[in-house]
Amino acid sequence: MCGLIGTIGFKDNSKLNINTISHRGPDSSGQWNSMDNEFPVTLGHARLAILDLSDAGNQPLIVDKDRYVFVFNGEIYNFVELRSEFESLGHVFETRTDTEVFLRGLILEGPSFQLRCNGMWSFCLWDRKEKTALFGRDRFGKKPLFYSLIGNDKLVFASEMKGIFPFLSSIQFNDNINIFLQKLFDYESSEECAIKGIKRLPQGHYAIFKNEKLETHRWWNTLDNLEDVSYDYDQQVERWRELFLDSVKIRMR
């Protein structure tokens, strides 16, 4: 796993501490800060190196004449096919990572590119030109992403809630904590968290933060993507076997 942390709209970043997520990525860590004459943004990343073990795979990843800054936690299993497609269109990659492939797809196709990806992820993509942040989370929420709106016009996010704690005036339990304890299986599918003032981006959602406002959108609903299943038992078994073996094979990359 890797770790993300960042702030948007904070001129003073003294409360941001990348060490709160360092255990998520022991191989390297990096932090990008906007210039003094820009809208204030800081993105941090702790890396667990899996693909392209060189320093080229370190994050934040910055591309297109420094316009886009990207932090990513996850794995895109079908990145090989996606990369080949983009290369056939003339795009040149500087790393061997799935991170760069995922970033290129988001730049070219926007949040809908997630529908083409097989994997698990959470991310933040900052567009310095448009002053817009795009956040996303995979279909089933395998990778975490927590955030808090501070003063209604600033945002802080992290892979773990404790990365956000320094920005809160106090650490208190959510008023609905007792409801969560009674319905534990509903907790992870909720945007609410155990700590008051912190929310999670729900699974299968993306969010856009622009002009000091956050808008959340759903990009995936399992019920809208169910596969037609044969009534024949042997065909069901064969289809399950095919899907299972393909899942194992593609993850071995």
Side-chain angles (χ1 to χ4, degrees), residues 72-73 75-76 78 82 102 106 109-123 134-143 145 200-208 215-226:
F72 167 79
N73 172 26
E75 292 182 71
I76 307 301
N78 62 332
L82 292 169
F102 191 51
L106 291 171
E109 303 178 17
S112 63
F113 176 68
Q114 294 174 100
L115 288 164
R116 301 181 58 199
C117 296
N118 181 345
M120 52 183 177
W121 60 82
S122 63
F123 68 85
L134 171 64
F135 299 90
R137 199 164 174 222
D138 61 69
R139 292 169 177 79
F140 305 112
K142 293 182 180 180
K143 294 299 182 180
L145 187 59
R200 86 184 87 222
L201 182 64
Q203 68 272 30
H205 282 67
Y206 71 89
I208 296 175
E215 294 185 356
T216 303
H217 307 271
R218 186 169 190 169
W219 67 269
W220 175 265
N221 185 339
T222 301
L223 295 178
D224 294 335
N225 293 273
L226 296 177

Side-chain angles (χ1 to χ4, degrees), residues 175-224:
D175 294 336
N176 295 322
I177 188 67
N178 289 328
I179 297 177
F180 298 152
L181 292 174
Q182 294 169 11
K183 299 181 178 180
L184 291 177
F185 290 105
D186 293 342
Y187 176 67
E188 282 293 335
S189 61
S190 167
E191 70 172 4
E192 293 192 75
C193 298
I195 302 301
K196 191 173 184 177
I198 298 180
K199 292 185 177 182
R200 86 184 87 222
L201 182 64
Q203 68 272 30
H205 282 67
Y206 71 89
I208 296 175
F209 188 78
K210 185 175 185 179
N211 296 328
E212 302 176 342
K213 294 182 180 180
L214 182 74
E215 294 185 356
T216 303
H217 307 271
R218 186 169 190 169
W219 67 269
W220 175 265
N221 185 339
T222 301
L223 295 178
D224 294 335

Side-chain angles (χ1 to χ4, degrees), residues 5 15-17 20-21 156-158 160-167:
I5 193 168
K15 294 181 180 179
L16 187 144
N17 184 0
T20 59
I21 60 165
V156 56
F157 69 91
E160 297 184 16
M161 285 188 282
K162 64 183 179 181
I164 301 175
F165 287 172
F167 296 86

Side-chain angles (χ1 to χ4, degrees), residues 75-81 118-120 142 250-251 253:
E75 292 182 71
I76 307 301
Y77 303 127
N78 62 332
F79 80 100
V80 175
E81 292 79 8
N118 181 345
M120 52 183 177
K142 293 182 180 180
I250 203 169
R251 282 162 175 74
R253 290 174 168 175

Side-chain angles (χ1 to χ4, degrees), residues 51-84:
L51 295 170
D52 191 345
L53 304 184
S54 72
D55 291 344
N58 293 344
Q59 299 181 44
L61 189 62
I62 306 172
V63 300
D64 292 5
K65 297 181 179 179
D66 297 344
R67 173 176 174 176
Y68 299 101
V69 187
F70 189 58
V71 286
F72 167 79
N73 172 26
E75 292 182 71
I76 307 301
Y77 303 127
N78 62 332
F79 80 100
V80 175
E81 292 79 8
L82 292 169
R83 177 178 177 133
S84 295

